[in-house]
RNA sequence: GCGCCCGUAGCUCAGUGGAUAGAGCGCCUGACUACGAAUCAGGAGGCCUGAGGUUCAAAUCCUCACGGGCGCACCA
C-alpha cells in the first residue's frame, strides 16, 4: 500500500462511521475534475439510510472527520478528499525511483498456456493476422510481468480440408520451380485459383477431399508435399514475427496433434459420449447449441477434434492453471463446443480454458477474404509505415544515427499500437491513413515522449541520488503544480492498470494509460521549464520525468513495442 | 428465425451506477533566438440510436424495438 492508497481514506471513514471498510471502499471514486480532489465519497446512500440530506452529511463529515495526509471538503452531496500534495509526493516519487515499476507478482508459481498467432500455412500473413498476433504477444508479456510462467504456442493451420485444396491445386496447376522460388505466394495463388475454379468444376472438390484422405491416410506423396509447404511457410512467418519481436515457445500446428485424435475418439466412445448423427460422429453439448462434431462423415478429422486433443495434450504436458486462446470472435461457438466437450469428458480444468476473442479487420466495409485473394498484406503495411517514418526522419532529423533501425522500430510501433489501442472486440475498418498516422493517439507519440525524456536525462546527467538529497522538493514556497500533480496521478495508476488489463485480457487499457501519461507529461513539458536554473526545481522535475520515461518504456515493452532513445 | 458482439462529436474511439459526458483526427486561432513542434495552448462541434423500466442517481443495469457486424454440424 502506498501513502496515496485510497484504502487509507476508506479505513478512516469506516472507523469514523462504524461501517465495514469494504462497503466504503466500493463507493469511493475519482472526482470528475482534479481540482475538486483526488478521492470522493458520495453521501447519497447514507442520506437515504439516515433520512438526512446528503449535503448535510457531507458538510458534517468534512468538518468532523479526523484528518490525515489529506484534506476533506464537502461539495454538494459529495465528500471530497485531497491529498496534501507537498507532503505526499516526495515520498511517493522517492519510492518510485527506488523500485521502478513494481507490479504485484500474483502469477508466481502459476502457468498460463497462451495460444496465439495461428496463421494458415500456404497463405501470406495479412492484416487479418494482426490482432491474433499482437494481442497474444502483448498478453504474453503482461502475464509474464505479473509473474506467470507463459507458454506461447503458435497453433499453425497446417491440417484439414483447406490443405486438401492446396494439394489438389498444386497437383493440377502447380509448378515446382515457382513454389521453390516464392513458396507462400505461389501456394497462395494456387489456393485462390482453386476457389475461383471450384464453382464451375465440381471435380475439384472431390479431388481436394481425396487428397485430404490420402494425407490423413499417410500417403507418401501427399505427406512429402505437405511437409515441404509447411516448412516453407513457417520460414516466411518467422521473418514477419521477427519484425514484430514476436516469439513462441512452441510452433505446434494442428497436425502436431493428429496422432492423438484416435485416443480422443476412443475415450469419447468408451465414455458413451459419442453419437452418430447424419453420418458424423458428434458429442452433444447442450440443447442451446449444436453438437460438437468429432469425426466427419467421410472419416477425415475436423478442427474441433484437433482442439480437444490439443487441450488434453497441453494439460498433460504443462498442467496449466489457465489456457487462453487468442482467436477471432467468430469462433466463439466453436470454443464453447470444445470446452463443453472437455467438461463432459470429465476434465475439471476445462473451466480454466478461455477464448479471448477480437473483432474483424475489414476492408472497405467487407470482411477480408483470403479465398478471393482480397487481403492487405501485413508486410506491405509495415513496409509503408517504415518508409514514411524514414521520410519524416530525413525531413526533420537528417543527422539521426542509426536511421534505418529507428525508422523500422517507429514504423512497426505505429502499426502495432494502432492495433492495440481499442477494445479487442471492436471491428477495425482498415484505413491506410489511420495506420500510417504518427501524431496524436499513436505509438510514435508515446515513443517520441519517451525519447524526449531520454534526451533531457542525457543533457542533465540526472541521477536519482540527486533527488534523494533534496530535503524539501516541494513546500509552501514551492507548491506542487496542477500539471505536476496530473502527471503524478496518471503515473500512479499505472500498476493497477496493468493488473486490470491482464485480468480482462485487454491490452488496450495499457495503451490508453500510456497515452494519458504522455499527454500529461507533454503538457507539463510545454508549460514548465524542466531544466530550470533553480536547482531544486530542476532536480524534482527531472526526477518526475525520469520515472515517466521508465513507465513509458515499460508499458511500450508490455505491448511489444520498442522504445528508441532517439528518433 | 435463434445466439453473440457493437451503436457516444463530421470521422476513429475513451468513459469502475454518481457532480458540467472526454480524447485523437479533421476544421479555426495561437506558441519554436528556454529543455526535441512526431509537441503544446485555445475555439467551434453532443437528444450518448429510440422507447419503456430499476434506482436518491443511468451513456453505464434490465426489457423491447431499430441499425450494423459475426455465428448457427461435417471449413478453420
Amino acid at each position: 500500500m502506498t501513502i496515496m492508497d485510497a484504502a487509507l481514506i476508506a479505513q478512516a471513514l469506516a472507523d469514523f462511521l462504524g461501517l465495514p471498510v469494504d462497503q466504503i471502499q466500493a463507493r469511493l471514486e475519482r472526482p470528475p475534475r482534479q481540482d475538486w480532489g483526488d478521492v470522493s465519497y458520495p453521501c447519497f446512500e447514507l442520506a437515504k439510510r439516515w433520512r438526512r440530506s446528503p449535503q448535510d452529511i457531507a458538510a458534517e463529515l468534512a468538518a468532523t472527520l479526523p484528518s490525515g495526509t489529506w484534506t476533506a471538503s464537502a461539495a454538494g452531496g459529495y465528500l471530497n478528499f485531497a491529498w496534501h500534495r507537498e507532503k505526499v509526493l516526495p515520498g511517493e516519487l522517492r519510492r518510485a525511483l527506488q523500485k521502478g515499476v513494481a507490479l504485484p507478482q500474483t502469477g508466481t508459481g502459476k502457468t498460463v498456456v497462451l495460444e496465439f498467432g495461428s496463421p494458415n500455412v500456404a497463405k501470406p500473413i495479412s492484416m487479418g493476422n494482426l490482432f491474433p498476433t499482437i494481442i497474444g504477444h502483448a498478453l504474453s508479456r503482461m502475464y509474464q510481468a505479473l509473474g506467470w510462467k507463459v507458454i506461447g504456442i503458435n497453433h499453425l493451420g497446417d491440417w484439414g480440408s483447406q490443405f486438401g485444396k492446396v494439394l489438389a491445386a498444386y497437383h493440377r496447376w502447380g509448378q515446382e520451380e515457382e513454389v521453390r522460388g516464392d513458396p507462400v505466394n505461389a501456394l497462395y495463388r494456387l489456393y485462390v485459383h482453386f476457389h475461383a475454379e471450384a464453382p464451375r468444376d465440381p471435380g475439384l472438390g472431390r479431388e481436394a477431399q481425396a487428397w485430404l484422405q490420402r494425407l490423413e491416410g499417410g500417403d507418401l506423396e501427399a505427406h512429402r508435399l505437405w511437409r515441404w509447404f509447411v516448412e516453407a511457410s513457417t520460414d516466411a512467418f518467422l521473418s514477419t514475427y521477427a519484425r514484430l519481436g514476436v516469439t513462441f515457445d512452441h510452433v505446434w500446428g494442428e497436425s502436431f496433434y493428429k496422432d492423438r485424435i484416435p485416443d480422443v475418439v476412443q475415450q469419447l466412445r468408451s465414455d458413451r459420449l459419442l453419437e452418430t448423427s447424419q453420418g458424423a460422429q458428434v458429442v452433444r453439448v447442450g440443447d442451446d447449441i449444436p453438437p460438437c462434431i468429432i469425426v466427419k462423415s467421410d472419416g477425415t478429422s475436423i478442427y474441433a477434434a484437433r482442439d480437444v486433443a490439443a487441450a488434453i495434450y497441453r494439460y498433460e504436458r504443462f498442467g496449466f492453471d489457465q489456457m487462453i486462446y487468442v482467436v477471432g470472435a467468430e469462433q466463439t461457438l466453436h470454443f464453447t463446443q470444445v470446452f463443453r466437450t472437455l467438461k463432459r469428458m470429465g476434465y475439471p480444468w476445462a473451466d480454466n480454458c478461455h477464448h479471448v476473442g477480437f473483432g474483424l479487420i475489414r476492408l472497405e466495409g467487407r470482411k477480408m477474404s483470403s479465398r478471393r485473394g482480397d487481403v492487405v498484406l501485413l508486410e506491405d503495411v509495415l513496409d509503408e509505415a517504415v518508409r514514411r517514418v524514414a521520410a519524416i526522419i530525413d525531413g526533420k532529423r537528417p543527422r539521426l544515427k542509426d536511421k534505418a533501425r529507428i525508422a523500422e522500430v517507429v514504423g512497426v510501433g505505429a502499426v502495432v499500437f494502432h492495433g492495440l489501442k481499442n477494445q479487442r472486440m471492436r471491428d477495425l475498418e482498415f484505413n491506410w491513413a489511420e495506420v500510417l498516422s504518427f501524431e496524436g493517439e499513436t505509438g510514435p507519440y508515446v515513443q517520441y515522449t519517451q525519447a524526449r525524456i531520454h534526451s533531457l536525462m542525457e543533457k542533465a546527467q540526472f541521477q536519482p541520488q540527486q533527488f534523494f538529497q533534496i530535503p524539501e522538493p516541494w513546500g509552501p514556497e514551492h507548491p506542487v503544480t496542477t500539471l505536476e500533480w496530473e502527471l503524478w496521478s496518471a503515473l500512479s495508476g499505472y500498476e493497477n492498470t496493468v493488473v486490470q488489463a491482464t485480468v480482462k485480457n485487454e491490452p488496450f487499457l495499457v495503451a490508453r494509460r500510456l497515452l494519458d501519461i504522455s499527454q500529461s507529461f507533454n503538457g507539463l513539458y510545454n508549460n514548465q521549464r524542466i531544466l530550470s536554473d533553480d536547482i531544486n526545481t530542476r532536480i524534482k522535475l527531472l526526477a518526475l520525468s525520469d520515472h515517466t520515461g521508465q513507465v513509458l518504456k515499460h508499458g511500450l515493452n508490455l505491448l511489444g513495442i520498442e522504445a528508441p532513445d532517439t528518433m
Side-chain angles (χ1 to χ4, degrees), chain A residues 287-300:
Chain A
D287 296 335
D288 51 337
I289 56 172
C292 185
I293 297 182
I294 301 295
V295 185
K296 295 193 283 187
S297 49
D298 68 357
T300 56

Side-chain angles (χ1 to χ4, degrees), chain A residues 176-183:
Chain A
E176 184 169 341
E177 316 82 71
E178 210 175 318
V179 176
R180 290 228 177 276
D182 185 1

